[in-house]
Every structure is written in C-alpha cells, then in structure tokens.
Amino acid sequence: MSFTATKFSHSLLAVPINSSTLRSNDKPLSFSTDLFKNNNPSSSFLGSTQKLLRFNAFNKPLFHRRSSSPSAVLLQQTSNLLITKEEGLVLYEDMVLGRSFEDKCAEMYYRGKMFGFVHLYNGQEAVSTGFIKYLRQEDCIVSTYRDHVHALSKGVPSRAVMSELFGKATGCCRGQGGSMHMFSKEHNVLGGFAFIGEGIPVATGAAFSMKYKREVLNQADSDNVTLAFFGDGTCNNGQFFECLNMAALWKLPIVFVVENNLWAIGMSHIRATSDPAIWKKGPAFGMPGVHVDGMDVLKVREVAKEAIDRARRGEGPTLVECETYRFRGHSLADPDELRNPATEQELKTIDKKIDEILEDAVEFAEKSPQPPRSQLLENVFADPKGFGIGPDGRYRCEDPKFTEGTAHV
Amino acid sequence: MATLFQGLAAVTPLSPSNSIESNKLLFSSRRSLSERKGNNFVVRSDAKVNKVLKSGAARKHELLIPNAVATQGSSSVASASKPGHELLLFEALREGLEEEMERDPTVCVMGEDVGHYGGSYKVTRNLAEKFGDLRVLDTPIAENAFTGMGIGAAMTGLRPIIEGMNMGFLLLAFNQISNNCGMLHYTSGGQFKIPVVIRGPGGVGRQLGAEHSQRLESYFQSIPGIQMVACSTPYNAKGLMKAAIRSDNPVILFEHVLLYNLKERIPDEEYVLSLEEAEMVRPGEHVTILTYSRMRYHVMQAAKTLVNKGYDPEVIDIRSLKPFDLHTIGNSIKKTHRVLIVEECMRTGGIGASLTAAITENFHDYLDAPIICLSSQDVPTPYAGTLEEWTVVQPAQIVTAVEQLCQ
C-alpha cells in the first residue's frame, strides 16, 4: 500500500539543533541530520486521488487528530528522500536563515527600526525550505502576509528583505511594499498578499500563464510551476475553493501548500472548520490531497518533489497540508540508516555564516537611504499617462512636480 | 440564466425612435467636429500614438483619419459607396477585441460564458471558435477567483480581458480589483505590471432591478493605479477597447446595457483612441455640458430642444472617467463660463462630484455661475418603470438646468 496511516511521532528522526544556537523563544528548530536510506522503495506517489478517497473511509473522527487520530496521510520513505549531504546543508542553512532572520526582525522591531504589522515565520521553516528549495528560479511562488522567509528561500537577498522592512529605498520593493508585500520579479516572488486568500487566485493565474505559454504560445519548454502558500484559516475562504476547482478543471501546474499552524489569528482551526482535515478537500476537487509533517523538512521535501514534479509534467495540481508549528516528539531512527551525517562543526559554521549575513543585512538596511520624495508618485501607473491630461494640454506626468513627487494627485 | 435573459431583453427594446434620434444628433455632431479640427476627436494610427503623445503640444493635429460617420436611423440601406463599415456597438467591441487578439497572442479573454456561449451580450461571439478555449476561457461563476487569476496571468506575461457578465457581479471581485489590480504595481516597487482590461455591461437598463442596474464608477474611481473609460458609440467603443488592451495600466472599460445595439459606420482602417482624451460631441458657445456613456444621448435629446430655444450648448463626452481630460474640459469652460454635468452615476462621491471638484480647483476663475451637477438619485435602482425613470436624469431636467444656468 502506498499510504500509511501513522502518527507523526512515528516518523523520521529529527535531531534538535544544539540549543545554544537558538535565540528564539519559539519551539526549537528541528532538522533531520540523517540522510537515510529507503526502507520501502515500492511506494509510488502518495497522491493518487482514488487511493486517497479509499483511504478516507478509514479516517476516524478528527477532533483528536493532532494527538492521536491516525488521520494523517504520511509517506513511506521512498528513494526520493535520498539527498546528498550538500543538499542537506543547503536546507539546513535556509532554515537557519529563516529562523534567525525572523528573530532579527523581532529584535529590530522592538528597537524601533521597523513598523507596522510584522508576522514572523518561526517554527514553519521546514515548509518554506522543503518546498521552495526544490524549485527552479523560473518557478513562481505566491505568499501571504507571513512572507519574509518564503522570499528568502526563493533567493531574495537578506539585504533586500531587511531594508524593505526598514522602509528603505534599497528594499526589494523600494520601501513601497513592506513586511506583507514582498515581491521580486527576478526571483519570481509574485508577492506577499496581505488579505486572506487573495493570493490564491493570483497564483492560479500564474499557473494558467504557464499552461497558456505551452499550449497557445507553443513554448514547449514552459514547464514552470507555481506554489501558493497559505494557512489553515484561508481554507475556509471561498477563493480557496474557487481556485481548487479551476486548477483541477484545467490541470494547472500549481501546488497549494497549506501551512496549518492550528491558529487563524485567535481562532482555533478546530473551532472554525467543519472537517479539519484540509488535505481531504483535494480529492473532493479531483486532485490529490496530501498530509505531511510540516516540522520535518525532509518529509516536506519529499512531498514537494512529488507534487512539483507532477505539476511540471502537466499532470495537474496537488493540495498539500503541512502540519506545522507544533513541536512534536521524535522517534529515533535506525542508526543503520544514518549515512554520512553532517557534523556538529559543519552546522555551527553555517550558523556563524547566517549570523554574519544578518549583521550585514541590518547594517545595509540601516545605512540605506530613505526613499526620496521623488519616489512617491512613481509606480502608481506602469504607464504614467494614467495620471491624465492637465489644463495645459500636456500629460500631467510631464510636469516636473511629478518627478519631484510634489504634485497633488 | 434569468439574469441573462433579462439583460438581453433590456437591450432589445431600446426604443427605435430614441436611437434614431440619438444617431441623428450624433451624426450632426460628427459633421461639425470634422470641420473643427480640434484635437479631441483626432484618431491616430497606433504606430504613431506613443510618439505623438510624448510631447503635449504635438498631440494635436496629427494623423487625421476620416472621422467615423454616424449612420442615420434609416440607413439600413447602406450604400456601398460610403467609406467604412456599419456595425452595432457590441460588434465594434468584438471587432476591436478580435483585431487585438490577432495582433498579439498574449491577449486573452476570461469570464463567465465568454467562450462557447459568446458572452451575455455577444461581445465575444465566435471568438472561442477562432482562437480556442484557452484564449477565450469560460470560467466557473467565481468572480473573485477569475479576476485574481487574470491579475496573476497579467503579472506573468499575458494581457487578459476580464469580462464581468454584468458589471455588478464584479463587486464580488472588488478586493482583487482594488488591492491587486490597482495597487500591486506600486507595492511591488514597479516590478510587476498588470496590463488587464476589466469590462462588461453596466448602468441602469430597462427594469433589471437594483443589483443588475449598478452605477459602479463611483465605487472604482478612488482606487489608485486604475484608469477608467466609458464608451458610448461603436466608434469609440472599438478605439477604446484597443487602447485599453494595449495599455500597460489596468483599465476598466464601462459599457452600457442600453447602448449595445447602437449602429454606426466606422472606418475600415485600424484606429486606436487615447484613453485619456475627452470627445467633443457638439461644439457650442453658451454652456459646457459634460457627460458620458448613455447620458450622452439624453443630453443630445435635450440639446435639440435647447437649440430650438435659441441656446448653443457645447457637449463633451468626457470618456475618460479617471483621469479627467482637463485640457478639453478647461478649454470649453474658458469659452462658455458655465458648466452642467449630466451623469448616470450616483450623486454622492460620484464622477460628477469629482469633476465638480476638479473644475472648481482648476477653473474657478472662469466660471460665471455655480456648476450644476445632475446625477441619478442616491437610491437602489427601483424595478418599477416609472420609479426607475425618475431615478436617472431625463432630458427635460437637462433643458431646465441649462435655462437656469444661462439666465
């Protein structure tokens, strides 16, 4: 059988990082240092709809699923899980960067260096890293208001994200976006979207573009994939359902990644949701629904690999529910599966490197200039003729006051 | 479906006498326009548009293409000798759409029933057959999602035209239109463009009930980063459609349910209009009447009466609802010193209110009388025919207002 019903706690070995490297009050970042062999190579992709539907019948009531219900679909380890030590260190570095960056944000926020709403990602790093580090540069991601770490994982430099948070002209959006609106055209970060669910249609549109490019514009090499990240609260919003339907209907190359951290601000997922097993909504729309331990980067990566490859092959969307945020006990893996593990020293070297990167990012942001007044009226319209024609018959954007940012619009 | 039938029914009974009258008036205004050689009705071939537009002064007098000749009501006996071809407004929109889709393979249409059904008002008729289901995409009834999808597609290289089957339905997509369509270019620091056109039938029709008779200009006008145009003739419908598609800015194109069957002869040559320019409909000396969309025809009906009474009103179809063409408007005010605004939009926070503010700010010294703004009533559009008629501005009110202004 391709799927096993099992509790998270029976899954993979995850070794907490040496606690001395943690500066967060949140749950410790966990990372499986074992680069293990596969026990059960017979497993096919976990996501066949039929199999999932069949599996549903065995689900127990969901009220206790966090603790004891065997409702989670977890993958058997397959050969997909084999990653090289180098890949493992890349994942580790990205997670440490994500965690440390957010810790640094908290520090800077309390020092009055950044303002407004700043949502931190602590605890969910395995999802961002597990998915995004498997993407290509040309692949797109769409994020939420909790978007710093997604942008970092996608390759936006720490400096650009930090100085955006500082509201500086050197920020990735020139200081015009802020914490909840991180964009990078270069890295195909299509945005942080600050309202619940509004990014999902945009991601669906990006995936539609890929299909369009392949099938209408005959760009055969257009096989890029879009990831839409959002939380459990969003899964009760209409846009989620509307887009699941359209993505499955047109077999769009998209993966819907639910980061279920159990809380929609102050509303418990269980109190807000009739059937809290979000992954089950995939099969309802004719796409695979997958449930994965979002605290384990290797498991996330395995699911990501299957779902992203599937989308890239043109086989349609996948819904992945990553249970995250809650730290879980870890079972020990068979030491025989350990192979060429990273050393403590190697991990410490990465921690030190991240410290340096963040010090540099803060210093860069600190020293960067504030956006000049002249920037105020830029980027309102892609074509500034949109400001219209003035009484003198000239386009108003031709008035020097527009380039100075002092015109009244 | 009920909606659809109602909508179509609303179009058909456009009273023949009314449309003939409008067309006659339109015809006369066109004729006078071509004699006047101002800049507002200049049609440019597309290749020159950008170049011309760059220098303000040079915007004028370039590349005149013969003006569209509006047909008279009886002109179904179209003589082959006349230049151009005759079509209805919805066909003009379709022609513009088709030409742009032929010209640029990234142009695509998405919306409810735009494909196999051909659109609720047939603006996309047969386009799916010609361009395929992906380019003319029938979407589920999910306005918020397919509007957002159009925005995502635009961010990644396409130029989608998003049709609201009825403009009122787009209220369900208001968040996407406002937060993403309007603001995303800015919040991304200019990295992503959103070259979408959002269009569809709107306005007060014939007893369609409140939800299907919306005047949404006022709702959309304060969204930063969005341009809004309203078409009123087959000629400008086609030219504005093409311009909207080519613009890198998100554009909302307002069409009026009662105007889809207007007939006009338009040029065979390709033309693109400016999104930012107003259209001089009837030059005059005594009073400036600013209007747009369907109210243009109520104004022209009133103008006929006014001319008989010895008045010489200047009628301008402002066309660009955001931004306003302050040049054309200002020049007219400097000549007439009196302004009447006639709109179907609601009074509070409407286009007329914004226009009043803009005129007061810019041309106060030229005014000899307070601006009069005739808007429709701030009520949900009633179903009953009489109540509905009293909701929107009628020609008699326009005549009275002009008489009052010119006392």
Side-chain angles (χ1 to χ4, degrees):
Chain A
M1 180 174 165
S2 305
F3 303 94
T4 49
T6 175
K7 287 187 286 185
F8 288 142
S9 53
H10 292 162
S11 57
L12 301 171
L13 170 72
V15 180
I17 304 167
N18 182 329
S19 60
S20 68
T21 65
L22 293 171
R23 283 141 299 175
S24 169
N25 290 326
D26 291 341
K27 292 141 195 124
L29 183 66
S30 65
F31 178 70
S32 305
T33 50
D34 55 323
L35 306 170
F36 42 79
K37 278 189 245 169
N38 175 22
N39 269 341
N40 181 3
S42 68
S43 173
S44 62
F45 176 51
L46 42 137
S48 139
T49 304
Q50 287 73 21
K51 286 174 184 169
L52 284 171
L53 284 170
R54 199 162 23 140
F55 177 73
N56 285 347
F58 297 100
N59 276 345
K60 288 183 179 168
L62 291 153
F63 303 104
H64 307 296
R65 74 190 177 97
R66 281 283 175 171
S67 50
S68 60
S69 155
S71 67
V73 176
L74 284 177
L75 318 180
Q76 278 290 35
Q77 302 102 22
T78 70
S79 55
N80 296 338
L81 266 175
L82 286 177
I83 57 170
T84 64
K85 177 175 163 184
E86 287 67 34
E87 286 170 334
L89 289 175
V90 166
L91 302 185
Y92 177 75
E93 179 172 332
D94 190 57
M95 290 206 298
V96 175
L97 173 64
R99 173 66 60 92
S100 307
F101 187 93
E102 298 293 66
D103 285 339
K104 188 60 88 178
C105 284
E107 184 187 332
M108 291 298 130
Y109 186 84
Y110 291 121
R111 280 207 219 159
K113 300 292 185 190
M114 53 181 77
F115 302 91
F117 296 118
V118 178
H119 306 85
L120 302 183
Y121 194 74
N122 296 44
Q124 301 179 207
E125 295 83 2
V127 180
S128 178
T129 300
F131 267 95
I132 297 175
K133 283 298 171 195
Y134 190 70
L135 292 178
R136 304 173 182 162
Q137 169 121 352
E138 311 80 54
D139 293 327
C140 298
I141 64 162
V142 169
S143 180
T144 64
Y145 47 85
R146 201 183 303 283
D147 57 352
H148 313 162
V149 176
H150 292 145
L152 293 170
S153 291
K154 196 66 171 60
V156 184
S158 296
R159 280 180 159 202
V161 179
M162 188 63 80
S163 57
E164 184 64 28
L165 287 161
F166 275 51
K168 297 297 183 74
T170 52
C172 56
C173 302
R174 314 174 75 210
Q176 291 167 200
S179 170
M180 299 183 277
H181 302 288
M182 295 291 172
F183 292 84
S184 171
K185 183 149 187 158
E186 182 190 348
H187 300 94
N188 288 301
V189 178
L190 301 190
F193 289 83
F195 283 8
I196 287 297
E198 63 170 353
I200 305 177
V202 174
T204 307
F208 175 77
S209 273
M210 299 313 154
K211 185 184 174 78
Y212 189 99
K213 283 173 186 168
R214 201 166 49 231
E215 295 180 21
V216 176
L217 304 182
N218 298 317
Q219 297 171 4
D221 57 340
S222 172
D223 62 351
N224 302 328
V225 171
T226 302
L227 299 187
F229 291 92
F230 48 93
D232 47 285
T234 306
C235 296
N236 294 321
N237 182 282
Q239 292 174 97
F240 168 65
F241 298 104
E242 293 176 4
C243 290
L244 286 188
N245 177 51
M246 294 197 298
L249 180 66
W250 299 315
K251 278 186 131 180
L252 301 182
I254 185 169
V255 183
F256 299 98
V257 185
V258 183
E259 302 189 56
N260 183 355
N261 63 16
L262 275 182
W263 289 98
I265 303 186
M267 181 65 158
S268 154
H269 180 54
I270 304 294
R271 285 183 62 223
T273 312
S274 56
D275 181 349
I278 296 166
W279 61 270
K280 284 165 65 183
K281 288 160 189 168
F285 287 91
M287 74 176 76
V290 185
H291 196 185
V292 65
D293 179 357
M295 302 305 284
D296 186 320
V297 70
L298 292 181
K299 288 175 142 190
V300 172
R301 187 178 165 96
E302 185 197 3
V303 172
K305 190 174 189 305
E306 293 283 353
I308 292 167
D309 289 348
R310 186 169 175 275
R312 211 182 291 291
R313 289 193 301 267
E315 292 168 19
T318 307
L319 173 67
V320 182
E321 176 182 3
C322 306
E323 285 214 39
T324 182
Y325 207 48
R326 172 175 288 183
F327 187 73
R328 289 171 180 276
H330 297 282
S331 62
L332 291 175
D334 181 350
D336 288 341
E337 287 178 357
L338 290 175
R339 191 183 64 187
N340 190 19
T343 65
E344 196 67 23
Q345 188 52 47
E346 283 170 313
L347 301 185
K348 278 185 175 163
T349 307
I350 287 174
D351 295 349
K352 186 163 179 293
K353 177 182 165 190
I354 296 297
D355 282 344
E356 285 164 8
I357 285 173
L358 292 180
E359 288 308 319
D360 170 74
V362 168
E363 193 184 330
F364 174 79
E366 193 99 67
K367 285 185 178 162
S368 290
Q370 300 285 352
R373 174 96 195 221
S374 61
Q375 195 183 310
L376 179 66
L377 301 180
E378 291 175 12
N379 310 133
V380 178
F381 291 102
D383 179 349
K385 290 210 299 287
F387 282 116
I389 297 166
D392 61 355
R394 300 172 68 84
Y395 274 97
R396 295 176 72 207
C397 56
E398 293 168 341
D399 183 335
K401 281 183 179 166
F402 270 82
T403 45
E404 290 160 11
T406 53
H408 193 74
V409 296
Chain B
M1 262 321 134
T3 295
L4 193 59
F5 289 139
Q6 278 181 346
L8 285 173
V11 172
T12 346
L14 178 66
S15 78
S17 64
N18 193 7
S19 80
I20 287 170
E21 208 155 46
S22 313
N23 282 333
K24 273 182 186 160
L25 288 164
L26 185 60
F27 179 63
S28 69
S29 71
R30 285 279 183 212
R31 201 169 45 199
S32 53
L33 272 181
S34 58
E35 288 155 14
R36 208 177 133 232
K37 289 190 181 143
N39 64 324
N40 301 310
F41 40 90
V42 170
V43 184
R44 306 184 187 88
S45 76
D46 171 64
K48 304 288 171 72
V49 165
N50 288 336
K51 208 195 299 174
V52 173
L53 292 180
K54 270 182 185 135
S55 75
R59 290 199 297 117
K60 304 164 191 176
H61 312 305
E62 298 268 341
L63 289 164
L64 267 170
I65 287 177
N67 278 305
V69 182
T71 52
Q72 308 228 13
S74 57
S75 71
S76 46
V77 265
S79 68
S81 62
K82 277 188 187 169
H85 56 290
E86 190 177 75
L87 38 58
L88 303 177
L89 190 143
F90 77 88
E91 295 170 323
L93 288 166
R94 187 193 170 285
E95 195 170 276
L97 202 49
E98 186 175 10
E99 284 177 14
E100 291 307 297
M101 290 183 79
E102 274 168 358
R103 177 182 163 270
D104 179 352
T106 66
V107 175
C108 56
V109 183
M110 46 185 75
E112 293 151 3
D113 269 333
V114 295
H116 295 190
Y117 191 77
S120 56
Y121 290 84
K122 301 299 169 199
V123 173
T124 52
R125 186 167 64 189
N126 297 334
L127 291 184
E129 276 173 35
K130 178 167 180 181
F131 295 107
D133 286 353
L134 267 188
R135 291 194 73 187
V136 189
L137 185 74
D138 279 322
T139 65
I141 304 171
E143 287 80 7
N144 204 6
F146 75 68
T147 304
M149 196 177 102
I151 292 162
M155 290 172 78
T156 48
L158 305 189
R159 303 183 86 86
I161 294 115
I162 299 161
E163 174 174 309
M165 183 182 251
N166 177 294
M167 280 300 240
F169 301 167
L170 293 181
L171 289 175
L172 291 158
F174 195 89
N175 177 68
Q176 289 293 347
I177 295 170
S178 170
N179 287 355
N180 295 337
C181 205
M183 300 184 194
L184 202 148
H185 179 66
Y186 194 85
T187 51
S188 73
Q191 294 179 82
F192 289 99
K193 291 177 187 172
I194 323 288
V196 299
V197 180
I198 295 171
R199 51 155 290 273
V204 177
R206 290 274 190 273
Q207 294 189 254
L208 303 180
E211 289 192 301
H212 288 75
S213 311
Q214 305 249 15
R215 299 145 276 168
L216 297 178
E217 306 91 287
S218 61
Y219 295 19
F220 290 126
Q221 69 169 334
S222 47
I223 301 173
I226 278 182
Q227 288 192 249
M228 306 197 311
V229 289
C231 62
S232 53
T233 64
Y235 173 76
N236 68 30
K238 180 180 175 187
L240 290 174
M241 170 72 93
K242 287 169 72 80
I245 293 170
R246 294 186 192 190
S247 172
D248 277 344
N249 299 335
V251 179
I252 302 179
L253 171 60
F254 290 92
E255 300 156 15
H256 198 289
V257 283
L258 295 182
L259 301 184
Y260 279 119
N261 285 346
L262 278 184
K263 195 182 277 184
E264 187 180 26
R265 183 167 289 275
I266 70 168
D268 292 329
E269 300 85 0
E270 188 182 21
Y271 65 93
V272 180
L273 295 173
S274 163
L275 288 177
E276 294 85 26
E277 288 180 21
E279 177 179 326
M280 180 66 70
V281 181
R282 181 195 190 280
E285 300 292 330
H286 294 160
V287 57
T288 298
I289 306 180
L290 303 173
T291 187
Y292 62 91
S293 191
R294 182 200 174 199
M295 282 299 123
R296 169 174 173 159
Y297 297 99
H298 280 202
V299 167
M300 292 312 286
Q301 256 180 280
K304 202 176 165 189
T305 312
L306 287 167
V307 169
N308 289 338
K309 291 188 172 197
Y311 294 100
D312 183 16
E314 177 149 301
V315 179
I316 294 173
D317 181 340
I318 63 170
R319 250 177 23 192
S320 177
L321 309 187
K322 187 191 173 204
F324 298 129
D325 176 359
L326 290 178
H327 181 56
T328 303
I329 294 167
N331 281 352
S332 178
I333 293 169
K334 287 171 190 170
K335 181 170 66 174
T336 66
H337 310 294
R338 287 173 171 79
V339 179
L340 169 65
I341 299 166
V342 182
E343 62 172 357
E344 192 178 272
C345 196
M346 284 180 289
R347 185 164 189 80
T348 303
I351 298 294
S354 298
L355 204 45
T356 305
I359 292 168
T360 309
E361 265 176 12
N362 290 284
F363 310 111
H364 184 262
D365 292 348
Y366 297 97
L367 291 173
D368 285 348
I371 300 166
I372 294 184
C373 180
L374 296 176
S375 316
S376 64
Q377 299 281 3
D378 276 354
V379 299
T381 313
Y383 165 71
T386 46
L387 293 177
E388 185 182 73
E389 196 176 310
W390 292 325
T391 302
V392 300
V393 180
Q394 298 301 325
Q397 291 170 268
I398 300 168
V399 173
T400 309
V402 169
E403 287 173 335
Q404 186 189 330
L405 264 176
C406 295
Q407 267 175 7

